[in-house]
Amino acid sequence: MICILITKRLLPTFNIIKPRRLSSKAEFNNVVECPSYFHLSNSFIDFPNEAKHLIDCMHIQYDFIDEDQEKSLFDEADPFIKRLRYQVDHWDDAIHQYRETEKLKWNPENTKIINKVRELAFPRHVGQIKYVHILDLDKDGYIKPHIDAVRFCGDTIAGLSLLSDSIMRLVNEQNKSLYGDILLKRRSLYVMKGTARFDYTHEILANEKSIFKGETIVKNRRISIICRNEPDPKYMGI
Ligand code: OGA
Ligand code: MN
């Protein structure tokens, strides 16, 4: 009995765990391996686990396609998209100076590329939206911060960037000082899932704000080719 009481009394003093606070950027860099395409805000210094989580949920692959494949996708998408006019604002005010369409059938070469995206982004059992979203942003176009509606889209969004580099910014919805900029190079693929898809807004910065690690990134006309999976049934019909 005495033994138990003593142990109980002693335990708290032995077991005090302090929250992990990293005081310097150098210490943060030792703990969090940040890929060169990512630039995280300084506020992440106090949230290293959030930082790791975000990085893990945002897969980027540069040169996912080569120049010929980029041209092949562009040649097939452009005739559809150029029939449309650039719109100043999106119906939910998320996109500025853009035009968009959805495409089901692609030629054999482009089908191969899109299947490669799908295989990398989605596990086999996952139901995918068959239509591919084509979004054309004018040189002066940009995408405002938003989270894709859970009613229309599942937990993963995969996007190929054609024609231009751009910067995608992810901002934590709960704490806006936690944000990460990603340099989306022309011909790169991103796969956004989990916390990056649900807990952070994403946006494509306008040219005036398009600065990555101090370097201006000129955004020209950019076309993205986006694949998504089916929404979780629990959100359908909301
Ligand atoms: C969207 C979107 C990002 C992109 O259409 O909802 O966020 O890469 N697009 O164009
Ligand atoms: Mn989106």
Side-chain angles (χ1 to χ4, degrees):
M1 189 63 186
I2 289 171
C3 199
I4 292 170
L5 281 176
I6 290 173
T7 320
K8 271 193 178 167
R9 232 179 285 145
L10 287 178
L11 260 178
T13 45
F14 284 128
N15 272 1
I16 288 173
I17 299 167
K18 290 203 177 122
R20 185 163 175 74
R21 286 200 132 230
L22 300 173
S23 49
S24 72
K25 187 91 186 178
E27 207 182 332
F28 177 83
N29 289 342
N30 279 337
V31 177
V32 178
E33 209 175 306
C34 189
S36 58
Y37 51 74
F38 237 120
H39 178 257
L40 297 174
S41 63
N42 283 335
S43 300
F44 273 108
I45 288 177
D46 293 330
F47 299 92
N49 290 335
E50 271 302 319
K52 283 190 206 167
H53 201 183
L54 178 63
I55 290 166
D56 285 349
C57 288
M58 196 67 196
H59 170 88
I60 307 290
Q61 196 167 324
Y62 279 177
D63 294 311
F64 186 81
I65 49 173
D66 63 24
E67 286 175 23
D68 292 341
Q69 291 171 316
E70 178 189 39
K71 184 173 181 320
S72 167
L73 285 167
F74 173 77
D75 285 347
E76 192 169 7
D78 194 50
F80 283 89
I81 203 94
K82 78 174 178 208
R83 286 191 220 135
L84 310 167
R85 281 225 214 127
Y86 283 114
Q87 296 182 44
V88 174
D89 278 310
H90 195 240
W91 54 272
D92 59 3
D93 200 31
I95 317 183
H96 182 78
Q97 282 289 88
Y98 76 103
R99 47 195 181 183
E100 65 184 340
T101 187
E102 289 179 316
K103 191 161 162 52
L104 181 61
K105 294 255 178 272
W106 294 81
N107 70 35
E109 189 185 346
N110 292 335
T111 300
K112 257 195 233 162
I113 301 169
I114 287 161
N115 285 345
K116 209 175 128 196
V117 171
R118 292 188 187 280
E119 274 161 29
L120 193 142
F122 308 107
R124 268 182 203 287
H125 63 275
V126 163
Q128 298 176 32
I129 298 177
K130 304 247 173 334
Y131 282 86
V132 175
H133 181 193
I134 303 172
L135 179 67
D136 178 347
L137 275 184
D138 188 20
K139 186 176 188 307
D140 300 320
Y142 55 91
I143 304 180
K144 297 179 196 172
H146 69 281
I147 294 176
D148 285 23
V150 290
R151 260 187 307 154
F152 303 124
C153 165
D155 63 357
T156 305
I157 301 165
L160 272 174
S161 298
L162 312 184
L163 306 183
S164 177
D165 297 347
S166 65
I167 299 173
M168 179 178 274
R169 176 167 291 175
L170 302 175
V171 183
N172 188 291
E173 264 232 300
Q174 305 292 321
N175 177 351
K176 298 212 183 317
S177 72
L178 298 178
Y179 66 89
D181 285 346
I182 295 157
L183 178 57
L184 285 184
K185 287 245 191 205
R186 177 178 185 176
R187 296 190 297 277
S188 67
L189 171 76
Y190 67 83
V191 181
M192 177 194 297
K193 54 188 175 188
T195 196
R197 185 260 184 268
F198 291 113
D199 304 324
Y200 288 73
T201 57
H202 56 274
E203 61 193 293
I204 297 285
L205 300 183
N207 248 325
E208 314 87 77
K209 298 184 189 158
S210 204
I211 296 168
F212 185 77
K213 297 182 184 173
E215 190 194 334
T216 299
I217 306 298
V218 179
K219 185 183 75 58
N220 290 306
R221 179 186 176 198
R222 168 182 182 270
I223 293 180
S224 46
I225 305 281
I226 305 169
C227 299
R228 295 179 169 89
N229 59 342
E230 296 280 1
D232 186 322
K234 75 175 179 228
Y235 296 120
M236 287 179 182
I238 292 178

